[in-house]
Amino acid sequence: MTTPYVIGIGNAVMDVIAPTSDASLDRLRIEKGIMQLIDRERSEFLMAAQSADADAAKARLVPGGSVANTLAGLGMLGLRTAFIGRVAGDPLGLSYAEQTEQQGTVFVNPPVAGEVLPTSRSIIFVTPDGERSMNTYLGISAELGAEDVNPATFSGADWLFLEGYLFDKDAGKAAFLKAADACHKAGGQAGIALSDPFCVDRHRADFRRLVAGPMDYVIGNIHEWQSLYQVEDLEEALRLASADCGTVICTRSGEDAILIRGDERVTAPVHRVVPVDATGAGDQFAAGLIYGLAIGADLAAAGRMGCIAAAEVISHVGARPESDLRAAFRAEGLV
């Protein structure tokens, strides 16, 4: 069996992480412990403030973004991975591309030179109690379009994974449709994470067409599925979803995940741990799930792999695995 090849499309966001104090958060008027979107001017102000902080030397640059995190997890599990995203030819973008390649994922498109929006960044202030206050500027990554998708990239592709956040613009929608078509022509399967109920609210009709059309599998949580079908009853949402899409996955924050494929319905028990940092839980659930499906595991086993991967990533700070997930899968008799 050849090693499965997974291509992902998503926001290429550089995480700029540095320790700080509660007093600094107050001085910078940063609301503690949440993620908020900021504009370019605010991002440049916070980058400068972070550099001027006494702890600036401890700042770390870590490639992030939801699908990019999933691909990192899949790469650590031994699959071949490639990432389609946009970064600028600035220091953050060059570092993002270089680090992604060093970690084993092909960064398909070179950094964009010239007068363009800066590389997307999430400026993360970490206080002594471990709380992460995230300030995200979407920058150039949100401009990804069909011209960034080369069908030749999909030669030999087995799986495509899309990030719902990028569905906010028409250019992103066009890129998704082009990629799904290229993946299917290569004999692969295409899927998406719904990402955010508010994104679903904004683009419900287009998401519905995507789920009922070119998507072979869709991952969402309770709120996203309920938003997509505008129903309060989860079972009704899942009934409508499974009528539209071949494989439907619903995560339920702390409860068993539900997986439906055709007439088959299974649950995957969550692996309960005390969370240290919930960042990346959904990203690594997707990594474990796609890994299981890619190696031909049954639906219940693939779902269990997703839950184990999610539990691992929330047990430490950071959105990417730090331990051997395949060893954990073997210990559970899944591989």
Side-chain angles (χ1 to χ4, degrees), residues 4-10 67 70-71 74 80 82-84 149 153-154 156-163 175-193 210 214-219 290 293-294:
Y5 175 29
V6 184
I7 297 175
I9 302 180
V67 161
T70 297
L71 292 173
L74 286 165
R80 292 185 298 140
F83 180 53
I84 298 172
V149 177
T153 304
F154 291 82
D158 301 292
W159 296 83
L160 169 66
F161 188 46
L162 304 170
E163 183 176 312
F176 282 8
L177 294 174
K178 184 177 179 181
D181 180 64
C183 182
H184 287 145
K185 286 177 177 174
Q189 297 196 53
I192 190 170
L210 192 69
M215 293 299 98
D216 301 295
Y217 66 100
V218 180
I219 304 171
I290 294 170
L293 296 176

mmCIF file of all heavy atoms in Angstrom, residues 4-10 67 70-71 74 80 82-84 149 153-154 156-163 175-193 210 214-219 290 293-294:
data_model
loop_
_atom_site.group_PDB
_atom_site.id
_atom_site.type_symbol
_atom_site.label_atom_id
_atom_site.label_comp_id
_atom_site.label_asym_id
_atom_site.label_seq_id
_atom_site.Cartn_x
_atom_site.Cartn_y
_atom_site.Cartn_z
ATOM 1 N N PRO A 4 -0.634 7.207 1.936
ATOM 2 C CA PRO A 4 -1.671 8.161 1.526
ATOM 3 C C PRO A 4 -1.140 9.590 1.452
ATOM 4 O O PRO A 4 -0.267 9.995 2.233
ATOM 5 C CB PRO A 4 -2.726 8.024 2.629
ATOM 6 C CG PRO A 4 -2.541 6.635 3.154
ATOM 7 C CD PRO A 4 -1.062 6.398 3.090
ATOM 8 N N TYR A 5 -1.685 10.333 0.502
ATOM 9 C CA TYR A 5 -1.259 11.711 0.229
ATOM 10 C C TYR A 5 -2.446 12.641 0.494
ATOM 11 O O TYR A 5 -3.508 12.506 -0.117
ATOM 12 C CB TYR A 5 -0.794 11.789 -1.224
ATOM 13 C CG TYR A 5 -0.415 13.158 -1.751
ATOM 14 C CD1 TYR A 5 0.096 14.164 -0.929
ATOM 15 C CD2 TYR A 5 -0.562 13.441 -3.110
ATOM 16 C CE1 TYR A 5 0.447 15.399 -1.445
ATOM 17 C CE2 TYR A 5 -0.207 14.668 -3.646
ATOM 18 C CZ TYR A 5 0.293 15.646 -2.815
ATOM 19 O OH TYR A 5 0.640 16.864 -3.323
ATOM 20 N N VAL A 6 -2.268 13.567 1.427
ATOM 21 C CA VAL A 6 -3.335 14.479 1.843
ATOM 22 C C VAL A 6 -2.931 15.911 1.513
ATOM 23 O O VAL A 6 -1.852 16.362 1.875
ATOM 24 C CB VAL A 6 -3.617 14.368 3.359
ATOM 25 C CG1 VAL A 6 -4.808 15.264 3.744
ATOM 26 C CG2 VAL A 6 -3.892 12.926 3.762
ATOM 27 N N ILE A 7 -3.825 16.629 0.829
ATOM 28 C CA ILE A 7 -3.616 18.044 0.523
ATOM 29 C C ILE A 7 -4.613 18.869 1.339
ATOM 30 O O ILE A 7 -5.795 18.520 1.418
ATOM 31 C CB ILE A 7 -3.811 18.321 -0.975
ATOM 32 C CG1 ILE A 7 -2.766 17.553 -1.796
ATOM 33 C CG2 ILE A 7 -3.719 19.819 -1.275
ATOM 34 C CD1 ILE A 7 -2.969 17.667 -3.294
ATOM 35 N N GLY A 8 -4.143 19.927 1.945
ATOM 36 C CA GLY A 8 -5.013 20.808 2.708
ATOM 37 C C GLY A 8 -4.967 22.227 2.170
ATOM 38 O O GLY A 8 -3.959 22.664 1.619
ATOM 39 N N ILE A 9 -6.081 22.927 2.301
ATOM 40 C CA ILE A 9 -6.157 24.342 1.937
ATOM 41 C C ILE A 9 -6.704 25.112 3.134
ATOM 42 O O ILE A 9 -7.766 24.760 3.671
ATOM 43 C CB ILE A 9 -7.070 24.568 0.716
ATOM 44 C CG1 ILE A 9 -6.580 23.769 -0.489
ATOM 45 C CG2 ILE A 9 -7.157 26.058 0.377
ATOM 46 C CD1 ILE A 9 -7.432 23.954 -1.735
ATOM 47 N N GLY A 10 -5.981 26.149 3.547
ATOM 48 C CA GLY A 10 -6.450 26.903 4.699
ATOM 49 C C GLY A 10 -5.670 28.186 4.899
ATOM 50 O O GLY A 10 -4.816 28.559 4.087
ATOM 51 N N VAL A 67 -6.162 24.101 9.262
ATOM 52 C CA VAL A 67 -5.827 22.972 8.386
ATOM 53 C C VAL A 67 -4.330 22.703 8.409
ATOM 54 O O VAL A 67 -3.895 21.542 8.335
ATOM 55 C CB VAL A 67 -6.348 23.217 6.953
ATOM 56 C CG1 VAL A 67 -5.639 22.343 5.935
ATOM 57 C CG2 VAL A 67 -7.853 22.950 6.890
ATOM 58 N N THR A 70 -3.738 20.464 11.197
ATOM 59 C CA THR A 70 -4.182 19.107 10.863
ATOM 60 C C THR A 70 -3.136 18.392 10.018
ATOM 61 O O THR A 70 -2.792 17.228 10.265
ATOM 62 C CB THR A 70 -5.523 19.143 10.121
ATOM 63 O OG1 THR A 70 -6.533 19.701 10.974
ATOM 64 C CG2 THR A 70 -5.963 17.742 9.707
ATOM 65 N N LEU A 71 -2.606 19.081 9.013
ATOM 66 C CA LEU A 71 -1.587 18.479 8.152
ATOM 67 C C LEU A 71 -0.332 18.129 8.942
ATOM 68 O O LEU A 71 0.297 17.086 8.694
ATOM 69 C CB LEU A 71 -1.241 19.427 7.011
ATOM 70 C CG LEU A 71 -2.344 19.664 5.969
ATOM 71 C CD1 LEU A 71 -1.921 20.748 4.992
ATOM 72 C CD2 LEU A 71 -2.684 18.373 5.226
ATOM 73 N N LEU A 74 -1.042 14.928 10.610
ATOM 74 C CA LEU A 74 -1.028 13.826 9.641
ATOM 75 C C LEU A 74 0.398 13.471 9.234
ATOM 76 O O LEU A 74 0.734 12.291 9.062
ATOM 77 C CB LEU A 74 -1.849 14.200 8.413
ATOM 78 C CG LEU A 74 -3.367 14.193 8.610
ATOM 79 C CD1 LEU A 74 -4.066 14.914 7.471
ATOM 80 C CD2 LEU A 74 -3.883 12.760 8.728
ATOM 81 N N ARG A 80 1.937 11.525 3.648
ATOM 82 C CA ARG A 80 2.494 12.592 2.816
ATOM 83 C C ARG A 80 1.493 13.748 2.817
ATOM 84 O O ARG A 80 0.289 13.528 2.663
ATOM 85 C CB ARG A 80 2.722 12.101 1.385
ATOM 86 C CG ARG A 80 3.821 11.054 1.254
ATOM 87 C CD ARG A 80 4.058 10.730 -0.212
ATOM 88 N NE ARG A 80 2.877 10.154 -0.841
ATOM 89 C CZ ARG A 80 2.460 10.434 -2.072
ATOM 90 N NH1 ARG A 80 3.101 11.321 -2.815
ATOM 91 N NH2 ARG A 80 1.394 9.838 -2.565
ATOM 92 N N ALA A 82 0.654 18.091 1.790
ATOM 93 C CA ALA A 82 0.966 19.331 1.085
ATOM 94 C C ALA A 82 -0.052 20.380 1.493
ATOM 95 O O ALA A 82 -1.229 20.074 1.716
ATOM 96 C CB ALA A 82 0.946 19.121 -0.429
ATOM 97 N N PHE A 83 0.394 21.631 1.589
ATOM 98 C CA PHE A 83 -0.465 22.717 2.057
ATOM 99 C C PHE A 83 -0.529 23.815 1.007
ATOM 100 O O PHE A 83 0.497 24.309 0.530
ATOM 101 C CB PHE A 83 0.081 23.278 3.372
ATOM 102 C CG PHE A 83 -0.729 24.411 3.951
ATOM 103 C CD1 PHE A 83 -2.088 24.278 4.165
ATOM 104 C CD2 PHE A 83 -0.125 25.611 4.300
ATOM 105 C CE1 PHE A 83 -2.833 25.321 4.705
ATOM 106 C CE2 PHE A 83 -0.855 26.653 4.848
ATOM 107 C CZ PHE A 83 -2.219 26.511 5.047
ATOM 108 N N ILE A 84 -1.754 24.188 0.651
ATOM 109 C CA ILE A 84 -1.987 25.307 -0.262
ATOM 110 C C ILE A 84 -2.473 26.488 0.568
ATOM 111 O O ILE A 84 -3.559 26.446 1.157
ATOM 112 C CB ILE A 84 -3.023 24.940 -1.341
ATOM 113 C CG1 ILE A 84 -2.505 23.782 -2.208
ATOM 114 C CG2 ILE A 84 -3.351 26.154 -2.210
ATOM 115 C CD1 ILE A 84 -3.537 23.232 -3.174
ATOM 116 N N VAL A 149 -4.647 27.492 -6.882
ATOM 117 C CA VAL A 149 -4.873 26.043 -6.945
ATOM 118 C C VAL A 149 -4.444 25.537 -8.321
ATOM 119 O O VAL A 149 -5.073 25.854 -9.334
ATOM 120 C CB VAL A 149 -6.353 25.698 -6.688
ATOM 121 C CG1 VAL A 149 -6.582 24.195 -6.823
ATOM 122 C CG2 VAL A 149 -6.786 26.185 -5.305
ATOM 123 N N THR A 153 -0.998 19.777 -8.841
ATOM 124 C CA THR A 153 -0.636 19.449 -7.460
ATOM 125 C C THR A 153 -1.354 18.193 -6.978
ATOM 126 O O THR A 153 -0.863 17.476 -6.102
ATOM 127 C CB THR A 153 -0.998 20.632 -6.532
ATOM 128 O OG1 THR A 153 -0.346 21.807 -7.006
ATOM 129 C CG2 THR A 153 -0.579 20.376 -5.094
ATOM 130 N N PHE A 154 -2.507 17.915 -7.565
ATOM 131 C CA PHE A 154 -3.365 16.843 -7.060
ATOM 132 C C PHE A 154 -3.066 15.479 -7.672
ATOM 133 O O PHE A 154 -3.747 14.502 -7.358
ATOM 134 C CB PHE A 154 -4.837 17.213 -7.277
ATOM 135 C CG PHE A 154 -5.287 18.344 -6.409
ATOM 136 C CD1 PHE A 154 -5.023 19.658 -6.767
ATOM 137 C CD2 PHE A 154 -5.926 18.110 -5.208
ATOM 138 C CE1 PHE A 154 -5.401 20.714 -5.954
ATOM 139 C CE2 PHE A 154 -6.308 19.157 -4.385
ATOM 140 C CZ PHE A 154 -6.039 20.458 -4.755
ATOM 141 N N GLY A 156 -2.044 12.048 -7.851
ATOM 142 C CA GLY A 156 -1.803 11.072 -6.797
ATOM 143 C C GLY A 156 -2.437 11.402 -5.467
ATOM 144 O O GLY A 156 -2.236 10.677 -4.482
ATOM 145 N N ALA A 157 -3.219 12.476 -5.403
ATOM 146 C CA ALA A 157 -3.838 12.876 -4.131
ATOM 147 C C ALA A 157 -4.952 11.910 -3.735
ATOM 148 O O ALA A 157 -5.794 11.530 -4.558
ATOM 149 C CB ALA A 157 -4.385 14.285 -4.224
ATOM 150 N N ASP A 158 -4.951 11.512 -2.477
ATOM 151 C CA ASP A 158 -5.988 10.619 -1.961
ATOM 152 C C ASP A 158 -7.071 11.370 -1.192
ATOM 153 O O ASP A 158 -8.231 10.973 -1.193
ATOM 154 C CB ASP A 158 -5.348 9.583 -1.028
ATOM 155 C CG ASP A 158 -4.285 8.752 -1.723
ATOM 156 O OD1 ASP A 158 -4.647 7.966 -2.609
ATOM 157 O OD2 ASP A 158 -3.094 8.913 -1.385
ATOM 158 N N TRP A 159 -6.674 12.451 -0.521
ATOM 159 C CA TRP A 159 -7.603 13.189 0.338
ATOM 160 C C TRP A 159 -7.350 14.693 0.209
ATOM 161 O O TRP A 159 -6.205 15.129 0.097
ATOM 162 C CB TRP A 159 -7.431 12.781 1.814
ATOM 163 C CG TRP A 159 -7.783 11.351 2.042
ATOM 164 C CD1 TRP A 159 -6.975 10.260 1.844
ATOM 165 C CD2 TRP A 159 -9.040 10.824 2.470
ATOM 166 N NE1 TRP A 159 -7.654 9.108 2.128
ATOM 167 C CE2 TRP A 159 -8.916 9.420 2.522
ATOM 168 C CE3 TRP A 159 -10.247 11.418 2.837
ATOM 169 C CZ2 TRP A 159 -9.978 8.591 2.911
ATOM 170 C CZ3 TRP A 159 -11.308 10.599 3.229
ATOM 171 C CH2 TRP A 159 -11.168 9.204 3.268
ATOM 172 N N LEU A 160 -8.430 15.446 0.248
ATOM 173 C CA LEU A 160 -8.381 16.909 0.300
ATOM 174 C C LEU A 160 -9.138 17.354 1.537
ATOM 175 O O LEU A 160 -10.233 16.854 1.814
ATOM 176 C CB LEU A 160 -9.032 17.516 -0.950
ATOM 177 C CG LEU A 160 -9.292 19.031 -0.929
ATOM 178 C CD1 LEU A 160 -7.982 19.806 -0.908
ATOM 179 C CD2 LEU A 160 -10.137 19.446 -2.139
ATOM 180 N N PHE A 161 -8.557 18.303 2.288
ATOM 181 C CA PHE A 161 -9.216 18.817 3.484
ATOM 182 C C PHE A 161 -9.235 20.335 3.427
ATOM 183 O O PHE A 161 -8.195 20.978 3.269
ATOM 184 C CB PHE A 161 -8.493 18.327 4.741
ATOM 185 C CG PHE A 161 -9.214 18.644 6.029
ATOM 186 C CD1 PHE A 161 -10.581 18.418 6.159
ATOM 187 C CD2 PHE A 161 -8.522 19.154 7.116
ATOM 188 C CE1 PHE A 161 -11.244 18.701 7.344
ATOM 189 C CE2 PHE A 161 -9.178 19.440 8.308
ATOM 190 C CZ PHE A 161 -10.543 19.207 8.418
ATOM 191 N N LEU A 162 -10.418 20.907 3.546
ATOM 192 C CA LEU A 162 -10.635 22.339 3.382
ATOM 193 C C LEU A 162 -11.015 22.984 4.714
ATOM 194 O O LEU A 162 -11.642 22.355 5.564
ATOM 195 C CB LEU A 162 -11.753 22.587 2.360
ATOM 196 C CG LEU A 162 -11.559 21.955 0.984
ATOM 197 C CD1 LEU A 162 -12.833 22.063 0.167
ATOM 198 C CD2 LEU A 162 -10.398 22.616 0.257
ATOM 199 N N GLU A 163 -10.685 24.244 4.855
ATOM 200 C CA GLU A 163 -10.935 24.998 6.084
ATOM 201 C C GLU A 163 -12.104 25.955 5.878
ATOM 202 O O GLU A 163 -12.029 26.871 5.058
ATOM 203 C CB GLU A 163 -9.670 25.768 6.455
ATOM 204 C CG GLU A 163 -9.746 26.548 7.741
ATOM 205 C CD GLU A 163 -8.395 27.194 8.052
ATOM 206 O OE1 GLU A 163 -7.358 26.501 7.982
ATOM 207 O OE2 GLU A 163 -8.401 28.396 8.364
ATOM 208 N N ALA A 175 -11.788 28.721 -5.109
ATOM 209 C CA ALA A 175 -10.614 27.869 -4.889
ATOM 210 C C ALA A 175 -11.034 26.488 -4.406
ATOM 211 O O ALA A 175 -10.493 25.464 -4.852
ATOM 212 C CB ALA A 175 -9.680 28.524 -3.879
ATOM 213 N N PHE A 176 -12.010 26.448 -3.502
ATOM 214 C CA PHE A 176 -12.474 25.168 -2.964
ATOM 215 C C PHE A 176 -13.072 24.297 -4.061
ATOM 216 O O PHE A 176 -12.813 23.095 -4.142
ATOM 217 C CB PHE A 176 -13.510 25.405 -1.867
ATOM 218 C CG PHE A 176 -12.926 25.815 -0.540
ATOM 219 C CD1 PHE A 176 -11.583 26.111 -0.407
ATOM 220 C CD2 PHE A 176 -13.735 25.921 0.578
ATOM 221 C CE1 PHE A 176 -11.043 26.498 0.814
ATOM 222 C CE2 PHE A 176 -13.209 26.298 1.811
ATOM 223 C CZ PHE A 176 -11.864 26.581 1.924
ATOM 224 N N LEU A 177 -13.916 24.896 -4.900
ATOM 225 C CA LEU A 177 -14.562 24.129 -5.967
ATOM 226 C C LEU A 177 -13.539 23.609 -6.963
ATOM 227 O O LEU A 177 -13.619 22.457 -7.417
ATOM 228 C CB LEU A 177 -15.619 24.986 -6.671
ATOM 229 C CG LEU A 177 -16.824 25.375 -5.805
ATOM 230 C CD1 LEU A 177 -17.722 26.351 -6.564
ATOM 231 C CD2 LEU A 177 -17.619 24.139 -5.383
ATOM 232 N N LYS A 178 -12.565 24.419 -7.306
ATOM 233 C CA LYS A 178 -11.512 23.999 -8.236
ATOM 234 C C LYS A 178 -10.694 22.859 -7.634
ATOM 235 O O LYS A 178 -10.364 21.873 -8.314
ATOM 236 C CB LYS A 178 -10.616 25.189 -8.583
ATOM 237 C CG LYS A 178 -9.550 24.880 -9.628
ATOM 238 C CD LYS A 178 -8.752 26.135 -9.975
ATOM 239 C CE LYS A 178 -7.661 25.855 -11.014
ATOM 240 N NZ LYS A 178 -6.880 27.077 -11.330
ATOM 241 N N ALA A 179 -10.367 22.972 -6.353
ATOM 242 C CA ALA A 179 -9.572 21.939 -5.688
ATOM 243 C C ALA A 179 -10.343 20.633 -5.579
ATOM 244 O O ALA A 179 -9.785 19.550 -5.808
ATOM 245 C CB ALA A 179 -9.152 22.426 -4.306
ATOM 246 N N ALA A 180 -11.617 20.713 -5.224
ATOM 247 C CA ALA A 180 -12.422 19.493 -5.101
ATOM 248 C C ALA A 180 -12.525 18.775 -6.442
ATOM 249 O O ALA A 180 -12.420 17.545 -6.520
ATOM 250 C CB ALA A 180 -13.813 19.830 -4.569
ATOM 251 N N ASP A 181 -12.702 19.547 -7.507
ATOM 252 C CA ASP A 181 -12.771 18.952 -8.841
ATOM 253 C C ASP A 181 -11.452 18.268 -9.193
ATOM 254 O O ASP A 181 -11.437 17.139 -9.701
ATOM 255 C CB ASP A 181 -13.100 20.041 -9.863
ATOM 256 C CG ASP A 181 -13.201 19.497 -11.282
ATOM 257 O OD1 ASP A 181 -14.103 18.671 -11.537
ATOM 258 O OD2 ASP A 181 -12.373 19.890 -12.121
ATOM 259 N N ALA A 182 -10.336 18.931 -8.910
ATOM 260 C CA ALA A 182 -9.024 18.351 -9.209
ATOM 261 C C ALA A 182 -8.771 17.092 -8.380
ATOM 262 O O ALA A 182 -8.216 16.103 -8.885
ATOM 263 C CB ALA A 182 -7.926 19.379 -8.942
ATOM 264 N N CYS A 183 -9.193 17.116 -7.116
ATOM 265 C CA CYS A 183 -9.024 15.953 -6.246
ATOM 266 C C CYS A 183 -9.834 14.767 -6.761
ATOM 267 O O CYS A 183 -9.341 13.640 -6.836
ATOM 268 C CB CYS A 183 -9.430 16.306 -4.821
ATOM 269 S SG CYS A 183 -9.215 14.960 -3.637
ATOM 270 N N HIS A 184 -11.079 15.008 -7.140
ATOM 271 C CA HIS A 184 -11.929 13.928 -7.659
ATOM 272 C C HIS A 184 -11.373 13.358 -8.953
ATOM 273 O O HIS A 184 -11.383 12.136 -9.173
ATOM 274 C CB HIS A 184 -13.355 14.436 -7.858
ATOM 275 C CG HIS A 184 -14.102 14.641 -6.581
ATOM 276 N ND1 HIS A 184 -15.027 15.648 -6.389
ATOM 277 C CD2 HIS A 184 -14.055 13.967 -5.406
ATOM 278 C CE1 HIS A 184 -15.518 15.572 -5.164
ATOM 279 N NE2 HIS A 184 -14.945 14.567 -4.554
ATOM 280 N N LYS A 185 -10.863 14.219 -9.817
ATOM 281 C CA LYS A 185 -10.283 13.740 -11.076
ATOM 282 C C LYS A 185 -9.044 12.887 -10.830
ATOM 283 O O LYS A 185 -8.706 12.014 -11.641
ATOM 284 C CB LYS A 185 -9.954 14.922 -11.982
ATOM 285 C CG LYS A 185 -11.204 15.547 -12.612
ATOM 286 C CD LYS A 185 -10.878 16.758 -13.462
ATOM 287 C CE LYS A 185 -12.150 17.302 -14.124
ATOM 288 N NZ LYS A 185 -11.901 18.573 -14.857
ATOM 289 N N ALA A 186 -8.381 13.134 -9.698
ATOM 290 C CA ALA A 186 -7.206 12.335 -9.331
ATOM 291 C C ALA A 186 -7.599 11.054 -8.598
ATOM 292 O O ALA A 186 -6.734 10.251 -8.250
ATOM 293 C CB ALA A 186 -6.261 13.160 -8.461
ATOM 294 N N GLY A 187 -8.902 10.888 -8.341
ATOM 295 C CA GLY A 187 -9.387 9.697 -7.664
ATOM 296 C C GLY A 187 -9.464 9.820 -6.161
ATOM 297 O O GLY A 187 -9.652 8.817 -5.460
ATOM 298 N N GLY A 188 -9.346 11.052 -5.641
ATOM 299 C CA GLY A 188 -9.359 11.252 -4.198
ATOM 300 C C GLY A 188 -10.715 11.663 -3.652
ATOM 301 O O GLY A 188 -11.695 11.816 -4.402
ATOM 302 N N GLN A 189 -10.767 11.855 -2.341
ATOM 303 C CA GLN A 189 -11.977 12.289 -1.646
ATOM 304 C C GLN A 189 -11.763 13.677 -1.065
ATOM 305 O O GLN A 189 -10.683 13.975 -0.541
ATOM 306 C CB GLN A 189 -12.353 11.308 -0.536
ATOM 307 C CG GLN A 189 -12.704 9.922 -1.047
ATOM 308 C CD GLN A 189 -13.426 9.110 0.008
ATOM 309 O OE1 GLN A 189 -14.430 9.546 0.584
ATOM 310 N NE2 GLN A 189 -12.929 7.918 0.283
ATOM 311 N N ALA A 190 -12.795 14.495 -1.127
ATOM 312 C CA ALA A 190 -12.714 15.878 -0.672
ATOM 313 C C ALA A 190 -13.619 16.096 0.533
ATOM 314 O O ALA A 190 -14.739 15.586 0.585
ATOM 315 C CB ALA A 190 -13.120 16.834 -1.800
ATOM 316 N N GLY A 191 -13.131 16.866 1.490
ATOM 317 C CA GLY A 191 -13.933 17.145 2.672
ATOM 318 C C GLY A 191 -13.610 18.506 3.250
ATOM 319 O O GLY A 191 -12.651 19.179 2.845
ATOM 320 N N ILE A 192 -14.408 18.920 4.218
ATOM 321 C CA ILE A 192 -14.265 20.241 4.812
ATOM 322 C C ILE A 192 -14.602 20.186 6.295
ATOM 323 O O ILE A 192 -15.411 19.357 6.738
ATOM 324 C CB ILE A 192 -15.188 21.264 4.100
ATOM 325 C CG1 ILE A 192 -14.882 22.701 4.531
ATOM 326 C CG2 ILE A 192 -16.664 20.936 4.318
ATOM 327 C CD1 ILE A 192 -15.590 23.755 3.699
ATOM 328 N N ALA A 193 -13.971 21.063 7.070
ATOM 329 C CA ALA A 193 -14.394 21.341 8.434
ATOM 330 C C ALA A 193 -15.223 22.613 8.403
ATOM 331 O O ALA A 193 -14.785 23.627 7.836
ATOM 332 C CB ALA A 193 -13.191 21.523 9.351
ATOM 333 N N LEU A 210 -22.243 23.184 -1.067
ATOM 334 C CA LEU A 210 -20.950 22.509 -1.006
ATOM 335 C C LEU A 210 -21.086 21.139 -0.356
ATOM 336 O O LEU A 210 -20.557 20.133 -0.865
ATOM 337 C CB LEU A 210 -19.964 23.374 -0.218
ATOM 338 C CG LEU A 210 -18.495 22.978 -0.286
ATOM 339 C CD1 LEU A 210 -17.930 23.236 -1.682
ATOM 340 C CD2 LEU A 210 -17.685 23.768 0.756
ATOM 341 N N PRO A 214 -19.881 18.674 -3.926
ATOM 342 C CA PRO A 214 -18.586 18.018 -4.088
ATOM 343 C C PRO A 214 -17.936 17.458 -2.823
ATOM 344 O O PRO A 214 -16.895 16.817 -2.920
ATOM 345 C CB PRO A 214 -17.707 19.133 -4.678
ATOM 346 C CG PRO A 214 -18.319 20.396 -4.192
ATOM 347 C CD PRO A 214 -19.790 20.144 -4.121
ATOM 348 N N MET A 215 -18.533 17.649 -1.651
ATOM 349 C CA MET A 215 -17.892 17.149 -0.442
ATOM 350 C C MET A 215 -18.249 15.681 -0.177
ATOM 351 O O MET A 215 -19.420 15.312 -0.141
ATOM 352 C CB MET A 215 -18.287 17.990 0.777
ATOM 353 C CG MET A 215 -17.761 19.424 0.749
ATOM 354 S SD MET A 215 -15.951 19.577 0.720
ATOM 355 C CE MET A 215 -15.642 19.835 -1.042
ATOM 356 N N ASP A 216 -17.219 14.865 0.032
ATOM 357 C CA ASP A 216 -17.414 13.453 0.363
ATOM 358 C C ASP A 216 -17.528 13.234 1.862
ATOM 359 O O ASP A 216 -18.120 12.250 2.309
ATOM 360 C CB ASP A 216 -16.246 12.626 -0.184
ATOM 361 C CG ASP A 216 -16.098 12.758 -1.694
ATOM 362 O OD1 ASP A 216 -17.013 12.313 -2.404
ATOM 363 O OD2 ASP A 216 -15.086 13.331 -2.150
ATOM 364 N N TYR A 217 -16.925 14.135 2.649
ATOM 365 C CA TYR A 217 -17.021 14.036 4.105
ATOM 366 C C TYR A 217 -17.000 15.445 4.683
ATOM 367 O O TYR A 217 -16.370 16.352 4.118
ATOM 368 C CB TYR A 217 -15.890 13.185 4.704
ATOM 369 C CG TYR A 217 -14.509 13.769 4.549
ATOM 370 C CD1 TYR A 217 -13.891 14.448 5.605
ATOM 371 C CD2 TYR A 217 -13.794 13.646 3.354
ATOM 372 C CE1 TYR A 217 -12.616 14.993 5.455
ATOM 373 C CE2 TYR A 217 -12.520 14.181 3.205
ATOM 374 C CZ TYR A 217 -11.943 14.857 4.264
ATOM 375 O OH TYR A 217 -10.686 15.394 4.115
ATOM 376 N N VAL A 218 -17.719 15.646 5.782
ATOM 377 C CA VAL A 218 -17.800 16.959 6.417
ATOM 378 C C VAL A 218 -17.708 16.768 7.932
ATOM 379 O O VAL A 218 -18.372 15.903 8.501
ATOM 380 C CB VAL A 218 -19.114 17.694 6.060
ATOM 381 C CG1 VAL A 218 -19.157 19.063 6.734
ATOM 382 C CG2 VAL A 218 -19.260 17.842 4.549
ATOM 383 N N ILE A 219 -16.873 17.597 8.562
ATOM 384 C CA ILE A 219 -16.703 17.573 10.018
ATOM 385 C C ILE A 219 -17.274 18.858 10.591
ATOM 386 O O ILE A 219 -16.963 19.956 10.125
ATOM 387 C CB ILE A 219 -15.212 17.466 10.397
ATOM 388 C CG1 ILE A 219 -14.568 16.239 9.761
ATOM 389 C CG2 ILE A 219 -15.049 17.438 11.917
ATOM 390 C CD1 ILE A 219 -13.055 16.185 9.921
ATOM 391 N N ILE A 290 -8.915 11.558 9.714
ATOM 392 C CA ILE A 290 -8.500 11.394 8.318
ATOM 393 C C ILE A 290 -7.434 10.312 8.201
ATOM 394 O O ILE A 290 -7.439 9.513 7.259
ATOM 395 C CB ILE A 290 -8.013 12.733 7.735
ATOM 396 C CG1 ILE A 290 -9.186 13.727 7.663
ATOM 397 C CG2 ILE A 290 -7.395 12.547 6.352
ATOM 398 C CD1 ILE A 290 -8.771 15.157 7.336
ATOM 399 N N LEU A 293 -9.299 6.983 8.286
ATOM 400 C CA LEU A 293 -9.992 6.732 7.026
ATOM 401 C C LEU A 293 -8.991 6.434 5.908
ATOM 402 O O LEU A 293 -9.225 5.563 5.066
ATOM 403 C CB LEU A 293 -10.852 7.946 6.660
ATOM 404 C CG LEU A 293 -12.012 8.279 7.615
ATOM 405 C CD1 LEU A 293 -12.704 9.564 7.164
ATOM 406 C CD2 LEU A 293 -13.010 7.125 7.694
ATOM 407 N N ALA A 294 -7.868 7.155 5.906
ATOM 408 C CA ALA A 294 -6.882 6.999 4.834
ATOM 409 C C ALA A 294 -6.210 5.635 4.848
ATOM 410 O O ALA A 294 -5.855 5.107 3.785
ATOM 411 C CB ALA A 294 -5.832 8.102 4.921
#
